[in-house]
Amino acid sequence: MAWILGLVLSLLVPAEAYQQVFLPRNAAQTLLSRQKRKNFLLEELRPGNLERECIEEQCNFEEAREVFEDMEKTLRFMSTYTVAAGKDVCASTPCWNGGTCHSGIGEYNCTCRTGYGGRSCEIAENKCASNPCKNGGWCHNSATQYYCACGSGFHGLNCELGPKDCSSHGHTCDHFCKSHDDSYVCYCAQGYKLGEDQKSCIPEVPYPCGKVMVPSSIQDTDLILRAINGDQQCRRGEYPWQVLLKHDNEKICAGAILNKDFVLTSADCVNQLRSFTVVVGEHNLEVDEGSEQTLNVSHIHIHSRYSQATFENDLALLRLETPIEFNNYTIPICLPETDFAEFFLMNSEYGAVSGWKLKKGRVEQPVLLGLPYVPYIKYTKCEGLQHFPIVHRMFCAGFEELVDPLCYLTRGGPFVTKYRSVWYLTGMSLGVEKYDCNMIPVYTKVSRYINWIKKIMAQSLSGL
């Protein structure tokens, strides 16, 4: 290599300049004298070597760390090494990531920058260790800070702020809220008006939705779960939104009152019938109690994407020929806003179901039954429980001990959830006949159909 380099230089430099610039060999060696190193070729690309790094040369902390590849061994070596060399231990720059070194005799301490820890500031602290992200947010860690990737509808540093900027919805608005100029405003369900404080909802009609006018028959306050049997019969008016569908005096399905003109039920229930009537204010099927109203249906609106094979979109909206007259035993259920239902109501622990118990096409319990504490089941535990696919527009609710009585309640019945003394519709039981009653019941998730329900009602009332 040396003679090739000399040949190239001799071609580039004139002979006169060569004589003036380059010294004779003997003279040049008197100026530069150095012992040949063991690993002199491409040293930076070779593994750490104690003899090369710390004996042939004076090494610093990082170079010693490369040799030992172990922090404790490096610390022990550098303490001995610096004392033997009469050096300040901080001269070896043992503090990593910009830490400040404070030395003693053979010892040192590091003051670390924010986000780092360890003896030598070598550890980047995990800011996500305390799980700071709320409401299902995903934490991402960096050396100095963290940030939360929030789920749909949530925001804020820790995803603590609620859907659509309604950050205090669960503590401020009685019913619903919506974003307005980087803040939110409260508004109320059907039959209520906003109070002077712009947060509370005050009934403005005698029978507002979701407000039960009779005392409950359930006295337990500790959520004792009891089977649906004779002693679980409801008082008349305890579930005043309950609807019964009848065909030729045969009791077939259930439904829920949305307002004076519309009832919601299962598409599968009405899809197989030529004619039927709607009965509201019903309680005991064998006794005329004076609160019943039997109404005809003028229009049936089955969801356009209802599937008889998979039971998806199993909803039907019924327009009545004559309006319902409300009283203590006949009151509509509140239809929630989508975000309110999914972020608040369906994150509740319990909902309630009601209906008449039918078995083999016959009435087994003629008095309306109800269970007020039916737990929501997570979707992951719900999948695969039935012979049809359970999609995200459905949900499961119930307990294994009560699958039989829950299953045999009238099909198309409402699943409701209570919030601040007002009940809201969150589900409708499927109308499927071939239902596996050994499994927890499945419901249509009403929150996914709020826009469809409102659109159909508006079009039907306008004559479109």
Side-chain angles (χ1 to χ4, degrees):
M1 292 292 293
W3 70 268
I4 294 175
L5 180 61
L7 177 61
V8 173
L9 291 174
S10 67
L11 295 175
L12 297 175
V13 183
E16 298 84 355
Y18 179 85
Q19 294 295 332
Q20 295 174 1
V21 174
F22 293 97
L23 297 176
R25 180 176 181 179
N26 293 338
Q29 287 181 341
T30 62
L31 296 177
L32 296 174
S33 178
R34 182 179 178 183
Q35 182 179 355
K36 183 183 294 187
R37 295 174 56 193
K38 294 185 182 297
N39 295 312
F40 66 93
L41 183 60
L42 301 177
E43 177 183 348
E44 297 302 323
L45 301 180
R46 298 174 69 85
N49 181 282
L50 183 62
E51 183 178 3
R52 178 179 74 247
E53 303 288 4
C54 298
I55 298 177
E56 293 182 3
E57 304 173 354
Q58 179 178 329
C59 66
N60 60 25
F61 189 91
E62 185 175 354
E63 291 171 326
R65 177 70 176 82
E66 292 177 358
V67 172
F68 290 102
E69 297 183 354
D70 180 89
M71 183 61 68
E72 292 302 320
K73 293 179 180 179
T74 305
L75 292 173
R76 289 196 298 270
F77 172 80
M78 290 303 295
S79 297
T80 305
Y81 179 77
T82 52
V83 170
K87 299 290 184 180
D88 182 353
V89 69
C90 285
S92 63
T93 60
C95 300
W96 294 16
N97 299 306
T100 302
C101 183
H102 308 278
S103 63
I105 300 176
E107 294 290 337
Y108 72 92
N109 292 305
C110 293
T111 300
C112 303
R113 293 172 56 203
T114 301
Y116 295 95
R119 173 71 186 279
S120 299
C121 308
E122 75 279 8
I123 301 173
E125 295 177 352
N126 181 10
K127 300 294 182 180
C128 292
S130 61
N131 298 317
C133 303
K134 309 299 181 184
N135 297 305
W138 182 262
C139 187
H140 298 266
N141 187 60
S142 68
T144 58
Q145 60 183 358
Y146 71 90
Y147 73 92
C148 295
C150 302
S152 175
F154 289 97
H155 66 289
L157 177 62
N158 296 321
C159 305
E160 75 281 10
L161 303 182
K164 294 189 175 179
D165 296 325
C166 295
S167 56
S168 300
H169 179 284
H171 306 285
T172 303
C173 296
D174 264 4
H175 292 181
F176 315 135
C177 76
K178 59 184 175 182
S179 59
H180 179 72
D181 295 336
D182 296 325
S183 183
Y184 67 91
V185 294
C186 301
Y187 63 107
C188 305
Q190 169 187 318
Y192 298 83
K193 64 179 180 180
L194 203 60
E196 292 183 0
D197 60 1
Q198 300 299 304
K199 297 176 182 179
S200 59
C201 290
I202 303 170
E204 61 176 349
V205 296
Y207 303 104
C209 70
K211 199 73 171 177
V212 178
M213 300 298 179
V214 301
S216 173
S217 63
I218 304 301
Q219 301 301 323
D220 356 6
T221 57
D222 55 349
L223 304 185
I224 297 175
L225 305 178
R226 296 180 296 173
I228 297 181
N229 49 36
D231 66 359
Q232 193 60 40
Q233 295 178 358
C234 305
R235 288 183 179 175
R236 189 159 62 104
E238 192 171 355
Y239 293 89
W241 44 80
Q242 184 74 43
V243 168
L244 177 70
L245 303 186
K246 293 175 63 176
H247 173 66
D248 293 336
N249 290 323
E250 181 182 343
K251 293 79 177 175
I252 49 166
C253 275
I257 303 171
L258 298 185
N259 57 39
K260 64 183 180 64
D261 296 306
F262 290 94
V263 164
L264 189 67
T265 186
S266 159
D268 195 67
C269 278
V270 303
N271 197 43
Q272 303 174 29
L273 303 174
R274 295 182 179 179
S275 64
F276 58 90
T277 55
V278 171
V279 183
V280 299
E282 183 64 274
H283 179 243
N284 189 331
L285 301 180
E286 297 179 342
V287 178
D288 185 354
E289 298 171 292
S291 57
E292 301 89 346
Q293 299 175 56
T294 301
L295 307 163
N296 293 322
V297 176
S298 63
H299 293 90
I300 299 175
H301 303 275
I302 295 177
H303 197 285
S304 60
R305 294 197 300 276
Y306 164 62
S307 169
Q308 290 181 297
T310 64
F311 306 103
E312 293 183 63
N313 312 302
D314 185 19
L315 291 179
L317 194 61
L318 309 179
R319 170 77 185 276
L320 305 175
E321 283 187 359
T322 55
I324 299 171
E325 295 181 8
F326 295 136
N327 52 53
N328 284 355
Y329 311 107
T330 305
I331 295 171
I333 186 67
C334 289
L335 195 64
E337 295 295 324
T338 300
D339 286 338
F340 175 63
E342 297 197 0
F343 290 108
F344 293 98
L345 297 179
M346 299 193 72
N347 281 323
S348 301
E349 189 173 0
Y350 299 100
V353 294
S354 56
W356 293 272
K357 188 174 181 181
L358 308 178
K359 215 165 189 180
K360 296 181 180 180
R362 296 183 179 182
V363 177
E364 189 172 275
Q365 287 283 354
V367 179
L368 185 68
L369 305 178
L371 193 66
Y373 306 124
V374 181
Y376 282 96
I377 304 297
K378 290 184 179 180
Y379 178 79
T380 52
K381 294 183 179 180
C382 186
E383 292 179 286
L385 290 185
Q386 293 290 341
H387 63 277
F388 53 87
I390 299 175
V391 299
H392 283 282
R393 287 175 174 260
M394 303 174 183
F395 69 92
C396 295
F399 5 66
E400 294 180 0
E401 296 84 355
L402 295 179
V403 291
D404 181 272
L406 283 173
C407 180
Y408 288 112
L409 289 180
T410 36
R411 297 177 293 142
F415 188 99
V416 297
T417 306
K418 192 176 184 179
Y419 183 82
R420 292 189 174 183
S421 76
V422 176
W423 291 91
Y424 298 86
L425 182 64
T426 49
M428 297 294 293
S429 65
L430 300 182
V432 51
E433 291 186 79
K434 296 180 180 178
Y435 204 84
D436 186 350
C437 281
N438 294 315
M439 299 298 177
I440 292 174
V442 181
Y443 300 84
T444 298
K445 189 183 294 185
V446 172
S447 62
R448 301 298 178 92
Y449 299 91
I450 301 297
N451 291 336
W452 175 79
I453 293 171
K454 290 182 176 180
K455 178 182 177 181
I456 295 299
M457 289 195 299
Q459 289 177 348
S460 181
L461 290 174
S462 63
L464 296 178

